[in-house]
Amino acid sequence: MSASKNIPDARGANLYQSDPTWARLLALYLDPSLMQVLTPKLEQLGALAGDSLDRLADTADKHPPTLITRSRTGVDDQRIDKHPAYVEMERLAFTEFGLAAISHRDDMFGWHGAMPPLAKYALTYVFVQSEFGLCCPVSMTDSLTRTLKKFGDPALVERYLPHLTTLDFEDLYQGAMFMTEQAAGSDIAATETMAYAQDDGTWRLHGDKWFCSNADAELAMVLARTENGQPGLKGVSLFLLPKTLDDGQHNHYRILRLKDKLGTRSMASGEIKLEGAVAYLVGEPGRGFVQMADMVNNSRLSNGVRAAGLMRRAVFEAEYVAHHRLAFGKRLADMPLMQRQLDKLRVPAEQARSMVCQTAQALRRSDAGEAGAYALLRILTPLIKFRACRDARKVTGDGMEVRGGCGYIEEWIEPRLVRDSHLGSIWEGTSNIVALDVIRAIRREGALPALQQQGEALLSACPADETTRALEHSLSRACALADYVTQTGDDAQARSVASALYHCFSACAMYWEATQTNDEERARLARLVLKHRLLPRDPLAGDTELETPKETAGAA
């Protein structure tokens, strides 16, 4: 049978080398000397992601972890049994590529000094195209380390930091955050878990945590209410919970069961009962939510990166099928309707990619103490978490359709992409919660001017053409809408505001990238964002050329 009659199979492709756009963008955003160091690792990971890592991920997805509570001789010996395929992926992620340690070491891959956040996300973006579930523990380990360094007692940092940042797999401590409770959910003020101070300076935790991903992590950040503390958020503190006590015994908590999840099946999420578990206070009492928010925001950014990676893999598979599948005597890619369908996949995938780069740069600038950078980071983070994660659900679903009936079969990656994509809009805050956080960033952090200034700065480096003028107009209107909703307290429009700001800012970034790299295809995609997401359009008029809108009365 000729290849054209077989189902197109891209396995074996290098997912980095087959994506020249990613290389061009990284070269635009990163130092050339750093790119020289990163490129071999990106190429190595791209080869793994397109073949052996993809096979490991498929095996781990079909053999999820199991909870073991007793040995065969009746000894209580709680542990989570992970398939060898998952363990091998852990080794690749944590030690071979150091995805959780990159931001906390100054000797990665022979590079001297700290790497910027985008270096970590550049690798994660490729890794997640094959394995999504494990990237949750990777992100939580990275975020826990950041939070511990920022707020933890120096003795606590000295004790645990080497284990969190080691590249020795046997000595590695993974991280988690146990925050969610049945009654509380996203309402942290309703936390019921209690913490009781002990004479030796430790605390004892009692309560139930309802959704604990990476449930057997060696360390977890936990929110609990201190005895005699204030009501509401001011009574919630942050604690570091070790899995193993100083005497080698398991800490006083039990994993009651593992969750049977729609996606991320490779990674263990469980329900945990704290029964006097020994823990250490992190930071100031009563400041737990503020301190945990730093960890959550870091995880939200990682969630956006993962959503972008899922969309890229869906686009790659759809394009491969379209270019190698014949129907009615033509390649699918040569058919106008398929070309239109592929563009509908590409546009949100490329928007997310630009937002990854821009948000990572804002994180770097914020950590360096640059004026205004924190405000920009504070709004870009919920924007990418809100919109990219929602877009991933549609892009992966529509990508499945391109492969046709086989795309619905679990032998192919499309079903796993679809299942995993739904996580992003739920964990670390549902879409409503995150959209409201965009409004909160504007109201409390003064983040809107920072966003508008960054968008205008990007456009100022672009040619003064029709597209730039249309983007300037749309950005002004989107910011006016955001300001109006924030001032009036009309939270019912929070999602509209978040989408408008995301589409405007991402289109500005894409067009800037296009002009800087002389990439006409990227410019075309930026104009499609304008045409289909920002400018007035009559759905019954058919396709028309991009027109710069006339100035209209009214801010919103």
Side-chain angles (χ1 to χ4, degrees), residues 29 351 354-362 365 376-377 379-380 383-384 447-459 471 474-476 478-479 497-513 526 529 534:
Y29 282 95
Q351 285 181 266
S354 293
M355 290 295 285
V356 166
C357 295
Q358 288 288 323
T359 311
Q361 293 296 78
R365 293 163 53 197
L376 179 62
L377 173 67
I379 192 169
L380 286 179
L383 283 178
I384 190 173
L448 189 60
L451 183 77
Q452 186 165 7
Q453 289 167 14
Q454 178 65 13
E456 290 171 348
L458 293 171
L459 293 177
L471 284 169
S474 296
L475 180 63
S476 176
C479 290
V497 167
S499 289
L501 293 177
Y502 179 91
H503 291 315
C504 281
F505 188 82
S506 62
C508 291
M510 289 173 68
Y511 198 59
W512 172 78
E513 292 161 351
V529 178
L534 297 172

Side-chain angles (χ1 to χ4, degrees), residues 221-258:
M221 289 291 185
V222 183
L223 289 178
R225 188 172 298 283
T226 54
E227 189 179 16
N228 301 321
Q230 297 185 52
L233 283 177
K234 293 183 179 180
V236 177
S237 298
L238 183 62
F239 297 88
L240 184 69
L241 175 75
K243 182 172 73 172
T244 305
L245 299 173
D246 291 342
D247 61 4
Q249 298 298 308
H250 193 285
N251 206 345
H252 307 293
Y253 66 87
R254 289 182 294 137
I255 304 172
L256 300 180
R257 65 169 177 168
L258 298 185

Side-chain angles (χ1 to χ4, degrees), residues 16-25 312:
Y16 177 71
Q17 292 179 341
S18 63
D19 183 15
T21 298
W22 194 218
R24 283 196 297 271
L25 289 178
R312 171 58 204 166

